[in-house]
Amino acid sequence: MAATAELKWKNTAFLVIDMQKDFISPGGVMHVKAFEDVVPNVIKAVEVARNRNVPIIWVVREHDPLGRDVELFRRHLYGSADKPKPVSKGTVGAELVDGLFIEEGDYKLVKTRFSSFFNTHLHSYLQGLGVNNLIITGNHKYVFKLRIVSDKRPSMRLHWIIIRLRLSLMPLLLPHLIYI
C-alpha cells in the first residue's frame, strides 16, 4: 500500500509561490491582507508534501535593491532612497513568511517576473527530477497562476491547491483547479 502511494507522487513536484513577508506580513511593502489567511493552510500543505516525499520548490521573488531587474511598471517603487524596496535581496521582506521554512532537500528558485518559468531554469530542473505533475499553491495572486498556465510545457499536468480564493471568476477561467 505504501509503495502504491509513493508511486502516485513519484513524478510530482510541489511549487510554493511568493509566500514572502513583503506580500503577506502586516507592514510588508506589498502587503495584501487577504494573503494572511492562507498561511496556516499552506503550512499544512507543505507538511503533507514532505510526508509524501514530494519535492518542494520554493519560488520567490528577489530583486536588485536598485530595481534594475524589475518590470518597468514597478521601477518607481525602487527610485526613492527613503522607502523600502519590495522583495529586495537580503531584506526581511524577501524572507519566507513566519511558519514556512526551506529544509534540506527543498529547492529555492528565484524569479524576477510573474512567471516561474520565464528566465529561470525551472523547466530543466523539473525535467531532471522526471516531474510531469505540478501541484501549485502560494499567496494566490491570480496573475502567477495564469502566467504558469501560459508558460508551462505541454508535457506537464497542473494541479492546483487553492486554499482560499478571492476571485469568483477563477473557476470559470481555470476549471481544472482542486479546491480544499
Side-chain angles (χ1 to χ4, degrees):
M1 186 68 113
T4 305
E6 281 186 38
L7 282 176
K8 181 179 179 180
W9 298 103
K10 182 175 173 29
N11 297 16
T12 302
F14 186 51
L15 272 65
V16 184
I17 302 177
D18 294 343
M19 293 296 295
Q20 294 163 270
K21 291 179 180 179
D22 267 351
F23 300 127
I24 297 171
S25 298
V29 178
M30 305 293 285
H31 177 250
V32 176
K33 183 157 180 52
F35 296 162
E36 295 173 41
D37 297 341
V38 305
V39 175
N41 287 329
V42 171
I43 291 169
K44 289 177 194 171
V46 168
E47 183 179 314
V48 168
R50 284 200 171 108
N51 288 338
R52 293 184 176 162
N53 296 315
V54 173
I56 299 171
I57 302 167
W58 299 92
V59 180
V60 297
R61 274 188 177 253
E62 286 184 2
H63 290 294
D64 174 82
L66 299 176
R68 294 174 286 207
D69 60 355
V70 300
E71 300 96 334
L72 289 175
F73 69 89
R74 290 182 193 242
R75 294 236 169 116
H76 70 280
L77 299 170
Y78 295 81
S80 172
D82 300 340
K83 293 184 181 178
K85 315 304 187 262
V87 288
S88 292
K89 293 175 191 163
T91 65
V92 171
E95 295 173 2
L96 291 176
V97 71
D98 293 339
L100 293 173
F101 306 95
I102 298 173
E103 292 187 0
E104 188 165 338
D106 293 351
Y107 185 71
K108 178 182 173 183
L109 178 86
V110 176
K111 66 177 183 156
T112 58
R113 297 292 186 268
F114 291 120
S115 172
S116 301
F117 287 99
F118 179 78
N119 252 6
T120 72
H121 52 279
L122 178 59
H123 183 244
S124 61
Y125 179 73
L126 294 171
Q127 280 183 318
L129 292 176
V131 167
N132 58 17
N133 292 299
L134 293 177
I135 300 172
I136 303 168
T137 195
N139 68 22
H140 300 300
K141 294 186 288 188
Y142 69 95
V143 174
F144 85 69
K145 293 183 193 107
L146 296 177
R147 290 303 306 161
I148 287 176
V149 168
S150 64
D151 289 350
K152 79 164 185 74
R153 302 310 178 249
S155 62
M156 234 167 255
R157 291 185 299 276
L158 299 176
H159 306 278
W160 307 87
I161 296 179
I162 305 303
I163 291 171
R164 184 171 177 152
L165 193 59
R166 294 268 182 197
L167 294 169
S168 59
L169 290 179
M170 192 58 81
L172 300 173
L173 296 171
L174 301 169
H176 58 287
L177 303 180
I178 299 169
Y179 293 89
I180 62 172

